[in-house]
Amino acid sequence: MSVQVEPNRLNDILKFELDKYQSREVVTLALLQNLAVGAVLGKITKGACPTTGTEGTNTGAGTCTSVTAGAKAKVGTYTLKCIIAASGAGIFSVEDPDGFALPEAIVAVAYENDQINFTLNDASPDFVVGDTFTIEIAAGSGQVTTINFDAVDGSADAYGILAADTDATSAAKSTVAIVRDAQVVEANLVWPTTSPAVSAAQKAAAMAQLKDKGIVAVVEA
């Protein structure tokens, strides 16, 4: 006789939520996702990052290339400004979209940061003080997806838990997620099936992010 295993239902996962469904939110599951109830979700908050910086009215002919977003990139405009000029060299200040100063960038040295990465390339004529580049990080779609620990579009952070089986294989689909103030059985949550497998440390980090939203883990009696 074959053994049949009944899939989880929401009440196997969700043990408490606020009255009048205040813990829930209508979300849009991104195209090509097919997820089971209890899937841990991330949200696409950041869009495409350009591969080159946009120059201002510069005197120097140098360029800003090899631009990539870091895991902690912010939506908005990063501003690079030459503060020290030198022949074949130079130093640029780097400001994030909220106006906070990041470590300075050195011309011809790859800049690596958890927010933004790029390389400033020297050319003739040299950069002069006041030359600028901007890098614009667009807003994301706001859709949800299975949490993706390798992503830089915001979906590496835990946003909520899917409240119903949802198939968006052929088109993005409206569904419901638990996104605040709830109790859930951690053992019944659904994580991505990736290779390598999601680690205990990654799960712990995601659960801590959910806890910040008031979604706490409980042990099923």
Side-chain angles (χ1 to χ4, degrees):
M1 178 183 295
S2 62
V3 177
Q4 294 184 339
V5 178
E6 183 179 4
N8 280 330
R9 300 178 181 178
L10 182 59
N11 60 9
D12 296 315
I13 298 157
L14 179 64
K15 295 304 175 181
F16 169 81
E17 63 175 320
L18 296 175
D19 291 341
K20 299 180 180 179
Y21 303 115
Q22 294 178 74
S23 298
R24 305 187 184 198
E25 183 177 279
V26 176
V27 295
T28 300
L29 185 64
L31 176 65
L32 301 182
Q33 299 286 302
N34 184 4
L35 304 181
V37 59
V40 180
L41 302 172
K43 187 173 184 178
I44 303 170
T45 57
K46 290 169 280 191
C49 176
T51 58
T52 59
T54 301
E55 64 182 60
T57 54
N58 293 353
T59 297
T63 58
C64 176
T65 61
S66 303
V67 179
T68 60
K72 296 184 179 179
K74 298 179 180 180
V75 173
T77 303
Y78 287 84
T79 303
L80 289 49
K81 185 175 183 179
C82 183
I83 55 175
I84 297 177
S87 177
I91 296 177
F92 280 64
S93 63
V94 182
E95 186 177 278
D96 78 6
D98 294 324
F100 294 110
L102 300 181
E104 294 170 349
I106 301 172
V107 173
V109 176
Y111 185 86
E112 297 181 354
N113 186 268
D114 57 8
Q115 290 195 42
I116 197 75
N117 309 286
F118 56 84
T119 299
L120 292 166
N121 309 288
D122 180 52
S124 181
D126 290 312
F127 290 120
V128 301
V129 172
D131 281 355
T132 63
F133 292 93
T134 55
I135 300 169
E136 181 78 22
I137 304 293
S141 66
Q143 296 179 346
V144 298
T145 179
T146 183
I147 190 169
N148 181 354
F149 294 100
D150 295 324
V152 295
D153 60 3
S155 63
D157 298 325
Y159 182 73
I161 296 164
L162 192 63
D165 295 345
T166 307
D167 185 354
T169 303
S170 58
K173 184 169 289 187
S174 180
T175 187
V176 175
I178 308 300
V179 299
R180 66 182 70 84
D181 300 321
Q183 294 179 351
V184 297
V185 179
E186 182 177 356
N188 291 340
L189 296 180
V190 179
W191 301 91
T193 53
T194 58
S195 181
V198 175
S199 69
Q202 288 172 321
K203 290 181 180 180
M207 292 307 298
Q209 291 167 343
L210 290 174
K211 187 176 181 180
D212 288 341
K213 294 170 152 295
I215 301 174
V216 297
V218 296
V219 177
E220 191 170 27

